[in-house]
């Protein structure tokens, strides 16, 4: 039986010793997730495309446990670099794929270029980062991959055909990865937030935002709580959670 004294560090720092690769870490939910992972003891490789003063300040505070890797995770070169940077910590336990964009407009007016770019960033990026992360995880015979999706992947949302399709694709990817690599002790989970108070949710136009918020039984979501959910899924306490979608949307009206 574990003594209370021995258990205390794990309770304070449930991610101590774990190395997490996080995409889309520059702002919004990704930035909050990076902060939460660090607060719980993880070492983090944080990927971002655009400059982020907040992430730079976080790196200054956690020089020994946070490495920043700028670049487009939907390119083969950056995806490979990210996995390699994680290995400099000696291991890669968890991948959190959060990077995403949106190009919202009615389907009949959507340029092909917008559709393709959303799929490239949101879905191809997940494929590439997973591909390189899994190679490291197979060698260690352990790994967890967390995909940040959206409740719209389950419900649909007018004006978001490209975004919802890309996020729904993450669900299929997660289920397939969990089946292909179960023998290597690699697990997946998909987090599907509702509308949040930061990031893409904060950028939604007023009338649409009100409609989406009104559908949630608990109203506008706090991104910090979803970040805590992601951190829990990255921890040993979630090792038996696999091949499932966890909704952090407050419950929805239909």
């Amino acid at each position: 039986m574990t003594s209370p004294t021995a258990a205390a560090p794990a309770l304070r720092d449930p991610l101590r010793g774990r190395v997490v690769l996080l995409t889309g870490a520059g702002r919004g939910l990704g930035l909050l997730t990076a902060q939460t992972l660090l607060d719980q003891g993880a070492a983090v490789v944080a990927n971002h495309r655009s400059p982020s003063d907040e992430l730079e300040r976080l790196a200054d505070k956690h020089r020994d446990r946070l490495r920043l890797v700028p670049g487009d995770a939907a390119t083969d070169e950056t995806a490979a670099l990210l996995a390699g940077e994680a290995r400099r910590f000696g291991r890669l336990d968890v991948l959190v794929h959060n990077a995403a964009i949106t190009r919202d407009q009615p389907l009949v007016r959507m340029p092909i270029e917008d559709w393709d770019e959303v799929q490239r960033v949101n879905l191809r990026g997940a494929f590439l980062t997973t591909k390189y992360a899994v190679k490291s995880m197979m060698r260690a015979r352990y790994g967890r991959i967390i995909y940040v999706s959206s409740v719209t992947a389950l419900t649909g949302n007018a004006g978001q055909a490209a975004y919802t399709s890309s996020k729904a694709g993450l669900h299929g990817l997660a289920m397939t990865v969990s089946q292909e690599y179960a023998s290597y002790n690699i697990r997946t989970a998909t987090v599907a937030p509702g509308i949040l108070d930061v990031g893409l949710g904060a950028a939604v136009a007023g009338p649409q935002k009100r409609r989406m918020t009104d559908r949630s039984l608990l109203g506008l979501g706090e991104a910090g709580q979803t970040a805590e959910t992601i951190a829990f899924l990255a921890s040993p306490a979630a090792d038996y959670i696999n091949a499932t979608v966890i909704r952090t949307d407050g419950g929805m009206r239909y």
Side-chain angles (χ1 to χ4, degrees), residues 238-254:
D239 272 354
Y240 201 61
I241 296 175
N242 190 25
T244 192
V245 178
I246 297 174
R247 295 174 59 159
T248 57
D249 58 14
M252 301 295 289
R253 293 185 176 88
Y254 295 97

Side-chain angles (χ1 to χ4, degrees), residues 151 155 192-197 208-222 225 247-254:
V151 69
T155 64
I195 187 165
L196 300 178
D197 55 359
Q208 183 182 7
K209 187 173 184 176
R210 283 191 294 274
R211 286 194 299 271
M212 295 173 70
T213 302
D214 287 346
R215 289 183 63 189
S216 172
L217 298 177
L218 300 180
L220 184 67
E222 295 181 14
Q225 293 178 340
R247 295 174 59 159
T248 57
D249 58 14
M252 301 295 289
R253 293 185 176 88
Y254 295 97

Side-chain angles (χ1 to χ4, degrees), residues 98-119:
N98 172 68
I101 63 169
T102 186
R103 298 284 188 271
D104 295 347
Q105 56 186 305
L107 184 145
V108 296
R109 296 206 301 266
M110 184 178 298
I112 293 173
E113 295 78 11
D114 283 0
W115 172 275
D116 286 347
E117 181 64 3
V118 171
Q119 308 309 316

Side-chain angles (χ1 to χ4, degrees), residues 63-207:
R63 291 182 181 275
D64 59 331
R65 290 192 292 118
L66 177 59
R67 293 178 180 162
L68 306 187
V69 182
D72 182 353
T75 66
D76 193 71
E77 296 78 11
T78 299
L81 178 62
L82 289 169
E85 193 67 25
R87 287 194 296 272
R88 290 181 59 193
F89 277 117
R91 57 194 292 171
L92 174 55
D93 301 290
V94 183
L95 164 66
V96 179
H97 181 73
N98 172 68
I101 63 169
T102 186
R103 298 284 188 271
D104 295 347
Q105 56 186 305
L107 184 145
V108 296
R109 296 206 301 266
M110 184 178 298
I112 293 173
E113 295 78 11
D114 283 0
W115 172 275
D116 286 347
E117 181 64 3
V118 171
Q119 308 309 316
R120 188 190 74 83
V121 174
N122 298 6
L123 195 50
R124 181 183 173 183
F127 156 69
L128 285 172
T129 53
T130 299
K131 177 181 177 180
Y132 286 102
V134 162
K135 289 179 179 179
S136 293
M137 293 172 178
M138 288 173 70
R139 287 192 288 270
R141 302 195 71 83
Y142 179 88
R144 172 163 288 278
I145 302 173
I146 303 165
Y147 299 100
V148 180
S149 176
S150 167
V151 69
T152 62
L154 301 167
T155 64
N157 195 39
Q160 289 194 310
Y163 180 74
T164 58
S165 296
S166 70
K167 291 299 191 180
L170 293 178
H171 298 198
L173 177 62
M175 295 297 288
T176 299
V177 169
S178 67
Q179 294 179 46
E180 284 188 5
Y181 300 102
S183 63
Y184 291 92
N185 209 21
I186 295 172
R187 311 151 172 80
T188 67
T190 304
V191 177
I195 187 165
L196 300 178
D197 55 359
V198 301
L200 297 179
V204 173

Side-chain angles (χ1 to χ4, degrees), residues 39-71:
D39 287 347
Q40 296 189 19
V44 179
V45 175
N47 165 248
H48 59 104
R49 287 182 69 181
S50 304
S52 170
D53 292 339
E54 296 92 338
L55 193 58
E56 292 286 351
R57 286 194 291 271
L58 203 57
D60 288 339
K61 182 179 178 182
H62 299 278
R63 291 182 181 275
D64 59 331
R65 290 192 292 118
L66 177 59
R67 293 178 180 162
L68 306 187
V69 182

